Amino acid sequence: MTSVINVNLPTQSYEIAIAPASLDQIGQSLAGLKLGKKVLLVSNPTIFKHFGKIAVDSLEAAGFQVASYCLPAGERYKTLNSIQKLYDIALENRLERSSTMVALGGGVIGDMTGFAAATWLRGINVVQVPTTLLAMVDSAIGGKTGVNHPHGKNLIGAFHQPRFVLIDTQVLKTLPVRELRAGMAEVIKYGVIWDAELFNQLEQSKRLDQLRYIKPELMDAILTRSCQAKADVVGKDEKEGGLRAILNYGHTVGHAVESLTNYRLLKHGEAVGIGMVAAGQIAVNLGLWQQADADRQNALIEKAGLPTKLPAGLDIEGIIEALQLDKKVKDGKVRFVLPTQIGVVTVTDEVTSDHIRQVLQKM
Amino acid sequence: MTSVINVNLPTQSYEIAIAPASLDQIGQSLAGLKLGKKVLLVSNPTIFKHFGKIAVDSLEAAGFQVASYCLPAGERYKTLNSIQKLYDIALENRLERSSTMVALGGGVIGDMTGFAAATWLRGINVVQVPTTLLAMVDSAIGGKTGVNHPHGKNLIGAFHQPRFVLIDTQVLKTLPVRELRAGMAEVIKYGVIWDAELFNQLEQSKRLDQLRYIKPELMDAILTRSCQAKADVVGKDEKEGGLRAILNYGHTVGHAVESLTNYRLLKHGEAVGIGMVAAGQIAVNLGLWQQADADRQNALIEKAGLPTKLPAGLDIEGIIEALQLDKKVKDGKVRFVLPTQIGVVTVTDEVTSDHIRQVLQKM
Ligand SMILES: NC(=O)c1ccc[n+]([C@@H]2O[C@H](COP(=O)([O-])OP(=O)(O)OC[C@H]3O[C@@H](n4cnc5c(N)ncnc54)[C@H](O)[C@@H]3O)[C@@H](O)[C@H]2O)c1
Ligand SMILES: NC(=O)c1ccc[n+]([C@@H]2O[C@H](COP(=O)([O-])OP(=O)(O)OC[C@H]3O[C@@H](n4cnc5c(N)ncnc54)[C@H](O)[C@@H]3O)[C@@H](O)[C@H]2O)c1
Ligand SMILES: [Zn+2]
Ligand SMILES: [Zn+2]
C-alpha cells in the first residue's frame, strides 16, 4: 500500500510517499523531479550500513551521479562543524545549483543535510528519506533545518522545504526500541493537538512501545495521519507566524528539560512526553482542559513506554530560567500551547512562572 | 532630497530610502516597522568609529535596546568563523525572533550580517545601512547574503531580504577613493545591462574617479537609477531563476580573476570592470554587440579609474578552469551574460573556452 500526502505551500509543493520497501525505488522517484545529475547522499555509519547500498544502487540505476558521505552518529555532532564538513564535500563533488542532497537518516541527519542544502550556493535541492519514526512523522516534513549552538538547541538554521519525502516503513525494523518510543511521543502529540481520531486509534492498541505489538493497519494510520497533520499545519503557516506554533505542544518544557540534562539523559521524544504531561496539567490547572482528558493523554504516553515524570534531581528553577532562552519567547513572555479538548489546542502567554512551578513540583 | 524606491517581492516588500544625513534618523525610520525592541548593530572598527555613535544614539532615542559588535575589517574575515562569532553575540544579547540586526558597513558587513540574521533562530529581521557605493547600489539590495568558503567566494549563503535599506549619501565622504571606483563598476554595469539613460548620464560627466568631481545631481541619479535597476530585476526574479542572472554581467570572468589573485590584488569592482571588458569583447566577437558600444563601455570603465586589462602574469588557463567552479555553471556549461545594445543583455551558454581564451589573450 502506498499513501501519498501533499504538502501545499504558497511557493512550492511536494509529496510525501509512504510505502513499504520503497527505498529501492528512490532513483525512479527522483527521476521525475527535474533535478540535476549530481546527488550527495548524507547519512551516518549505522544507517548507511543498513540502507546505503539500496539507496545508492537505485539512484545510480536511474542515472544519477552519486557521492555519499557519513557524518558521525549522534546529536552532539549536530553542529556547525559538521555543516562545514558537508560544505567541503559539496565543493569536492562540485555540487551545482541543480544538484540534490539526500538525507538518509533520523532527524539529526535530516536537519543537518537540510541546512547544508539550504545554505550551499544559497540553496540547492534536498530530499528527505527519514529512517526514524520521529523523522518520518515530524522532522522530515515542513522545512525546518538547522544545527545546535553550544549553548542552545536548534538556534542556528533556516527554512528549506524538501523536494520530496520518501518514507519506507520497512526501515523501522532495525530502529532501536527507544527511538521508536521517542517518535511515538510526536504521534501522540498530533492526536492531542489536531486529530482526535488518531488519538482514539492509539487508545485502541494494547501496546505502543514496540513495533511488533503495533498492527500494520495502526502503523499505516500512525504514519499517514501524523504526516497529514504536519502537512496541514505547515501548509497553513509555513514559517511559524501563527498556527505552526501548535506543533510545539510539549516542547516548551521539553526543550528546557533536554537542555538542562545536556541532551544526554533523554531522547527528544522522551522530553516531549514529559513536556506534554506538564503542559496538559498546566491547562487543567488553568481551567482550560478536563483532568480526565489529561489522564487519557498521560496513559497513552505511558503505554508508549515514555517517561511521565521529571528526571530525578532536576532543578525546577533551572527549568524556569531555561524557558527564558526558548525561541518561543516574545519580548520576555513564554508562550505555551495548551489543549482545550482532545484534538484542539490554544496558544497563550498567560502562563506564569508560578503556574509552571506548581505543576513541575508534582512531577 | 529624499528618494524612496520600493522593492516589491511576492512575499514581502521593503523600501530603500536615499537621503543625505539620514543616518541620524535611523531610529525613527525603524520605529515604524513593527520590530521587536532588541537591535544588534554590526559593523567594523573603521566604520563604527565614523558613524557608529550617530546610529546607536538615534536607535536608542527611538526606544530600541541596542548592542553593537564590530567584526574585523576585510574580505578575508568574511567566513563562517565570523558568523559563529555573531551567533555568540546574538545569544549573549538574547536576540529573539522579533529582534533586528542592523548592518552598518560595506558589502562584507552586509553579507555577513544578512547571513547571520537569515540563520539565527531560522531568520530574524535585518536592516541594511550600506556605507560603500558598491553596497548602496548592489549588495544591500536583493537579499543575497553569505560568506566565503576557503576555496570559493560566496559559496555559503542564503536569500534573506532586508526589512529596510537606509542610504545616507553623506557617509561616502570618508570612503577611500579606490572603494568609490570599485562601486562605480556596478553602476556602469546597470547602465550596460538595464538603463541606457544612466549610461548616457555617466558619459556626460568629465570624471567618475573621485567623489568631488561628480556633480550632486549625477550622484543622485547614480544612486536612484542604480537602486531602481536592482529593485526592478530582483522584483521580477527574487531567487535567480532567470532574469536576475543578468546582474552577473562582468562577474563570470570577474570572479575567476578575483579568485586566482586570492581576493587580494583586486577589489571586487575592479575585477568586475575587467570582467565587463572581457564579456563585452566576447559579445562583439560573437557578433552580438557593436565594437563601438564596447568601446564606449570601456571608456566609462577607464574614466572611473578602473583597470581594463588583466593583472600582469595571470594564467589564462587558470581562469578558464576556475570558471568551471562558478555557481553559474549548469551541468558543466558556463553561462555568460552578454550585451546586445547599451541597456540590453542576453544570457547564453554558447560561449566556449576558445572564445574566452581568444579575448583574454588580448587583455
Ligand atoms: N526539523 C524539524 O522540524 C524537527 C522536528 C523534530 C525534531 N527535530 C530534530 O530531530 C533530531 C532527533 O531526530 P531522531 O529522533 O530521528 O534521532 P537521530 O537522528 O539521532 O536518530 C536516532 C538514532 O537512531 C539511529 N537510526 C536511525 N534510523 C535507524 C534505523 N532505521 N535503523 C537503525 N538505527 C537507526 C541513528 O543512527 C541514531 O543513533 C533532533 O536533533 C531534533 O532537534 C527536528
Ligand atoms: N549580496 C550581494 O548581492 C553582493 C553584491 C555585490 C557584492 N557583494 C559582496 O560585497 C563585498 C564587497 O563589498 P564592498 O565593496 O562594500 O567592500 P567592503 O565591505 O570590504 O568595504 C570596503 C572598505 O571600505 C571601508 N569602508 C566602508 N564604508 C566606509 C566609509 N563610509 N568610510 C570609510 N571607510 C569605509 C571598509 O572598512 C572596508 O575596508 C564582497 O564580499 C562581495 O562578495 C555582495
Ligand atoms: Zn519534536
Ligand atoms: Zn558585483
Side-chain angles (χ1 to χ4, degrees):
Chain A
M1 198 210 75
T2 303
S3 311
V4 173
I5 288 159
N6 286 294
V7 184
N8 294 311
L9 301 171
T11 52
Q12 181 193 0
S13 295
Y14 55 95
E15 288 187 349
I16 307 167
I18 307 172
S22 49
L23 187 57
D24 65 4
Q25 282 145 55
I26 185 174
Q28 284 133 279
S29 300
L30 265 58
L33 294 177
K34 289 197 176 181
L35 308 170
K37 255 195 253 170
K38 291 185 188 177
V39 168
L40 174 63
L41 182 116
V42 180
S43 193
N44 78 25
T46 318
I47 300 165
F48 193 82
K49 187 171 53 95
H50 288 306
F51 312 114
K53 193 174 150 43
I54 304 177
V56 171
D57 285 353
S58 170
L59 287 163
E60 288 182 340
F64 290 102
Q65 186 182 322
V66 187
S68 10
Y69 186 74
C70 285
L71 288 164
E75 179 82 32
R76 76 175 177 288
Y77 293 100
K78 192 173 148 184
T79 61
L80 216 48
N81 271 350
S82 296
I83 300 299
Q84 219 151 355
K85 196 66 214 173
L86 291 182
Y87 292 149
D88 293 344
I89 305 296
L91 185 83
E92 232 168 67
N93 290 283
R94 314 226 153 167
L95 292 200
E96 302 167 0
R97 288 222 175 128
S98 60
S99 302
T100 305
M101 294 194 191
V102 172
L104 176 69
V108 168
I109 290 297
D111 279 12
M112 286 200 284
T113 308
F115 186 59
T119 51
W120 184 247
L121 309 181
R122 294 192 202 93
I124 66 171
N125 304 305
V126 67
V127 166
Q128 295 284 352
V129 184
T131 63
T132 64
L133 178 58
L134 180 130
M136 290 176 181
V137 299
D138 189 359
S139 63
I141 310 164
K144 279 196 188 179
T145 71
V147 296
N148 301 325
H149 183 278
H151 297 109
K153 208 166 135 61
N154 294 327
L155 292 177
I156 299 160
F159 284 95
H160 190 55
Q161 299 294 341
R163 294 289 306 268
F164 180 58
V165 181
L166 179 79
I167 298 182
D168 180 346
T169 51
Q170 300 271 33
V171 306
L172 292 178
K173 289 193 176 162
T174 55
L175 187 68
V177 63
R178 195 173 165 198
E179 300 297 341
L180 183 88
R181 293 170 185 178
M184 203 59 80
E186 306 281 357
V187 173
I188 295 168
K189 179 188 79 177
Y190 294 120
V192 176
I193 67 168
W194 195 254
D195 186 346
E197 172 56 27
L198 172 60
F199 191 97
N200 293 337
Q201 292 186 28
L202 294 171
E203 279 188 317
Q204 255 116 72
S205 185
K206 206 152 171 238
R207 296 180 65 165
L208 291 170
D209 58 335
Q210 287 188 48
L211 191 63
R212 61 186 156 138
Y213 297 123
I214 300 170
K215 294 212 182 84
E217 314 83 71
L218 177 60
M219 200 64 212
D220 274 347
I222 283 173
L223 290 172
T224 54
R225 298 194 85 103
S226 296
C227 289
Q228 188 67 58
K230 179 113 192 209
D232 285 349
V233 173
V234 168
K236 286 182 177 138
D237 174 23
E238 183 179 357
K239 300 225 168 144
E240 209 157 18
L243 182 70
R244 189 163 173 166
I246 71 170
L247 297 174
N248 289 319
Y249 176 58
H251 283 60
T252 310
V253 167
H255 279 158
V257 170
E258 274 185 287
S259 144
L260 287 169
T261 52
N262 297 313
Y263 304 100
R264 289 208 183 131
L265 187 66
L266 294 170
K267 301 255 61 178
H268 172 71
E270 291 167 347
V272 170
I274 292 167
M276 290 194 289
V277 174
Q281 201 57 47
I282 291 169
V284 170
N285 291 358
L286 287 174
L288 293 169
W289 207 26
Q290 304 283 335
Q291 184 70 55
D293 285 340
D295 292 344
R296 285 171 68 196
Q297 165 194 272
N298 299 352
L300 274 190
I301 295 170
E302 265 183 44
K303 196 161 66 174
L306 291 161
T308 54
K309 305 247 164 250
L310 288 179
L314 202 65
D315 175 25
I316 288 170
E317 293 311 311
I319 299 182
I320 288 165
E321 242 173 65
L323 290 177
Q324 297 300 324
L325 251 185
D326 197 280
K327 283 195 296 303
K328 288 163 287 297
V329 168
K330 198 173 161 23
D331 288 324
K333 276 188 197 158
V334 183
R335 244 193 287 158
F336 260 88
V337 180
L338 298 179
T340 57
Q341 301 170 42
I342 302 283
V344 184
V345 284
T346 186
V347 180
T348 173
D349 50 16
E350 302 303 311
V351 177
T352 65
S353 296
D354 275 345
H355 292 130
I356 304 169
R357 194 175 286 118
Q358 201 187 336
V359 162
L360 295 183
Q361 271 161 357
K362 295 200 179 134
M363 288 180 60
Chain B
M1 196 210 77
T2 304
S3 311
V4 174
I5 287 160
N6 287 295
V7 185
N8 294 312
L9 301 171
T11 51
Q12 180 192 1
S13 296
Y14 56 96
E15 288 185 349
I16 308 167
I18 307 174
S22 50
L23 187 57
D24 65 5
Q25 282 146 53
I26 185 174
Q28 285 133 278
S29 300
L30 265 59
L33 294 176
K34 288 197 177 180
L35 307 170
K37 258 196 251 168
K38 292 185 190 177
V39 167
L40 174 63
L41 182 115
V42 180
S43 193
N44 77 25
T46 319
I47 301 164
F48 193 82
K49 188 170 55 93
H50 288 307
F51 313 114
K53 193 173 149 44
I54 304 177
V56 170
D57 285 354
S58 170
L59 287 163
E60 287 181 341
F64 290 103
Q65 185 181 324
V66 186
S68 11
Y69 186 74
C70 285
L71 288 164
E75 179 83 31
R76 75 176 178 289
Y77 293 100
K78 192 174 147 182
T79 60
L80 216 49
N81 271 350
S82 295
I83 300 299
Q84 219 151 355
K85 196 66 214 172
L86 291 182
Y87 292 149
D88 293 345
I89 305 296
L91 185 83
E92 233 168 66
N93 289 283
R94 313 227 155 167
L95 292 200
E96 301 166 1
R97 287 223 174 127
S98 60
S99 302
T100 305
M101 294 195 191
V102 172
L104 176 68
V108 168
I109 291 296
D111 279 12
M112 286 199 284
T113 309
F115 186 59
T119 52
W120 184 247
L121 308 182
R122 293 191 204 94
I124 66 171
N125 304 305
V126 68
V127 167
Q128 295 284 351
V129 184
T131 62
T132 64
L133 178 58
L134 180 130
M136 289 175 181
V137 299
D138 189 0
S139 63
I141 310 164
K144 280 195 187 179
T145 71
V147 295
N148 302 324
H149 183 276
H151 297 110
K153 208 166 134 60
N154 294 328
L155 292 177
I156 299 161
F159 284 95
H160 191 55
Q161 299 294 340
R163 293 290 305 268
F164 180 57
V165 181
L166 179 79
I167 299 183
D168 180 345
T169 51
Q170 301 270 31
V171 306
L172 292 178
K173 290 195 175 161
T174 54
L175 188 69
V177 63
R178 195 173 166 199
E179 300 297 341
L180 183 88
R181 293 170 184 177
M184 204 58 81
E186 307 281 357
V187 173
I188 296 169
K189 180 188 79 177
Y190 293 122
V192 176
I193 67 168
W194 195 254
D195 186 347
E197 172 55 26
L198 171 60
F199 191 97
N200 292 338
Q201 293 186 30
L202 293 172
E203 278 188 319
Q204 255 115 72
S205 184
K206 206 153 172 237
R207 296 181 65 164
L208 290 170
D209 58 335
Q210 287 187 48
L211 191 62
R212 59 185 159 139
Y213 297 123
I214 300 170
K215 295 211 182 85
E217 314 83 72
L218 178 59
M219 201 63 211
D220 274 347
I222 283 173
L223 290 172
T224 54
R225 299 194 84 103
S226 296
C227 288
Q228 188 67 59
K230 178 110 191 211
D232 286 349
V233 173
V234 169
K236 287 184 176 136
D237 174 24
E238 183 178 357
K239 301 228 170 143
E240 209 158 20
L243 182 69
R244 188 163 175 164
I246 71 171
L247 298 173
N248 289 320
Y249 176 58
H251 283 60
T252 309
V253 167
H255 279 157
V257 170
E258 274 185 287
S259 142
L260 286 170
T261 53
N262 296 314
Y263 304 99
R264 289 206 184 133
L265 188 66
L266 295 169
K267 301 255 60 179
H268 172 71
E270 292 167 348
V272 170
I274 293 167
M276 289 193 290
V277 174
Q281 202 55 48
I282 290 170
V284 171
N285 291 358
L286 287 174
L288 293 169
W289 208 24
Q290 305 283 335
Q291 183 70 54
D293 285 340
D295 292 343
R296 285 172 67 197
Q297 166 193 272
N298 298 351
L300 273 192
I301 295 169
E302 265 183 44
K303 197 161 65 173
L306 291 162
T308 55
K309 306 247 164 249
L310 286 179
L314 202 65
D315 176 25
I316 288 171
E317 292 312 311
I319 298 182
I320 287 164
E321 240 173 67
L323 290 177
Q324 297 300 324
L325 251 185
D326 197 280
K327 282 195 296 302
K328 288 163 285 297
V329 167
K330 197 173 164 8
D331 288 325
K333 278 188 195 158
V334 183
R335 246 192 288 157
F336 260 88
V337 181
L338 299 178
T340 58
Q341 302 169 41
I342 303 281
V344 185
V345 285
T346 185
V347 181
T348 172
D349 49 17
E350 301 304 312
V351 177
T352 65
S353 296
D354 275 346
H355 292 130
I356 305 170
R357 194 174 286 118
Q358 201 186 336
V359 163
L360 295 183
Q361 272 161 356
K362 296 199 179 135
M363 289 180 60

